[in-house]
Amino acid sequence: MEERKPVWTTSSFLLYSGGLTVLGAAVAALAYLSPHYGSGALTGWALLVLVVLYTLAHAFRVRDRWIAAGIFAFASVIAWAAFLGIAWHWFGWLDTPGSFGRFSFSRLSLEFLVLAAALDDSRRFEFPLITLVSATVGWFFVLDLVSGGGTWSRVVTLLVGLVYLLLGSTRDRPSSFWLHLVGGALIGAILLDWWHSGDTDWALVSAASLVYVAIAYLTKRSSWAVYGTIGFYAATVHFLNSQAYTNIELSTRSLTGWAPSVAFACLGFWLVLLGLRGRRARS
């Protein structure tokens, strides 16, 4: 079965809104029931929510209502994760605080089962949104499996983001959007964690933002351009504040005078130039 791409229409908007509202209501219901029932009873309620959502997903799938089926399949993966978390807590497997510095088979098993369910539903329903869950949980599972925290966790996160970039670039499928979205977020978060102190760091952030824009044009995935634009804005704000702190006696005027207008005007023209450059290259 070929993966289809949802189209933004009135119908699809209502389906997304309704399905995600049902998911939110289910999570809120479990949160409400949590203090009123013991772990065993709460596990039963979580199982009931899971069965209802997954049954609806398959019912819509049989009737070829693929968007509705995919949304409820996505919701059922979230419900599966909640059910496992509540059940593992009931069994006493998650009583100790989770930490990457301490190996935990029960925590890894929970992550693995959620990842397996997300991958299976992605194959079964061919709905791109489910890839968001598998990409996020996949990163968390790898991080938990091979990382002990600290610098190594950052390196692993960066490598996972690069792998997602590679996979998303080699697969021409609608679900690749979510690989690019998660991969760009992981790489950007690590770069900001490393480079956020001085002017040199933020100059590197600006350079990385330019690379993000280049990746957006090469992969034809605009999420990289969005992340790059956020980086440019953050760097602009930093240099404005840096200038204000450098000229302490002029700090008030530096932030309220012409400096912000000029800085953001230059940023705006820079973004327009990048946009025109890409359009010219396509022509």
Side-chain angles (χ1 to χ4, degrees):
M1 182 178 178
E2 184 179 355
E3 185 177 84
R4 291 181 280 186
K5 181 180 180 179
V7 180
W8 190 254
T9 64
T10 301
S11 176
S12 62
F13 167 74
L14 293 173
L15 288 172
Y16 271 87
S17 300
L20 296 179
T21 299
V22 171
L23 173 61
V27 173
L30 291 177
Y32 170 77
L33 293 171
S34 178
H36 296 84
Y37 290 90
S39 297
L42 188 61
T43 301
W45 282 111
L47 178 60
L48 176 62
V49 170
L50 171 62
V51 169
V52 170
L53 293 177
Y54 205 53
T55 300
L56 288 172
H58 278 283
F60 284 121
R61 179 170 175 262
V62 169
R63 290 167 175 78
D64 198 28
R65 307 295 186 182
W66 71 279
I67 293 182
I71 292 171
F72 277 98
F74 170 81
S76 69
V77 173
I78 305 300
W80 170 246
F83 166 71
L84 290 178
I86 295 171
W88 265 226
H89 178 73
W90 178 31
F91 300 155
W93 295 349
L94 297 180
D95 288 340
T96 57
S99 172
F100 290 144
R102 181 177 179 181
F103 180 83
S104 172
F105 177 79
S106 59
R107 190 175 62 244
L108 285 170
S109 66
L110 188 151
E111 296 159 5
F112 176 79
L113 290 173
V114 174
L115 177 60
L119 292 174
D120 181 66
D121 280 352
S122 294
R123 176 191 60 82
R124 192 183 306 274
F125 290 89
E126 296 290 343
F127 192 68
L129 182 60
I130 303 176
T131 304
L132 174 62
V133 179
S134 58
T136 304
V137 178
W139 158 70
F140 200 82
F141 176 75
V142 172
L143 194 66
D144 200 2
L145 180 65
V146 304
S147 172
T151 303
W152 179 236
S153 293
R154 296 176 176 85
V155 173
V156 171
T157 297
L158 180 64
L159 292 176
V160 172
L162 293 173
V163 170
Y164 285 168
L165 168 59
L166 179 62
L167 291 176
S169 301
T170 55
R171 300 194 318 166
D172 187 18
R173 306 180 65 186
S175 58
S176 297
F177 166 80
W178 297 105
L179 293 175
H180 283 286
L181 186 72
V182 176
L186 294 178
I187 296 172
I190 296 305
L191 295 182
L192 285 176
D193 184 61
W194 284 341
W195 303 332
H196 64 274
S197 299
D199 292 346
T200 301
D201 287 348
W202 283 99
L204 290 173
V205 169
S206 297
S209 298
L210 185 58
V211 174
Y212 264 57
V213 173
I215 293 174
Y217 280 125
L218 290 173
T219 61
K220 298 181 180 178
R221 295 291 178 176
S222 59
S223 60
W224 292 92
V226 173
Y227 288 138
T229 301
I230 293 173
F232 285 131
Y233 271 97
T236 300
V237 171
H238 165 78
F239 285 116
L240 280 172
N241 290 330
S242 177
Q243 181 64 25
Y245 285 121
T246 300
N247 302 293
I248 299 177
E249 70 281 2
L250 301 176
S251 61
T252 302
R253 278 187 287 172
S254 297
L255 290 176
T256 60
W258 287 103
S261 298
V262 173
F264 282 106
C266 292
L267 173 60
F269 281 117
W270 170 245
L271 296 175
V272 169
L273 179 63
L274 291 176
L276 293 175
R277 182 71 177 177
R279 186 180 182 87
R280 180 181 177 184
R282 288 195 302 271
S283 300

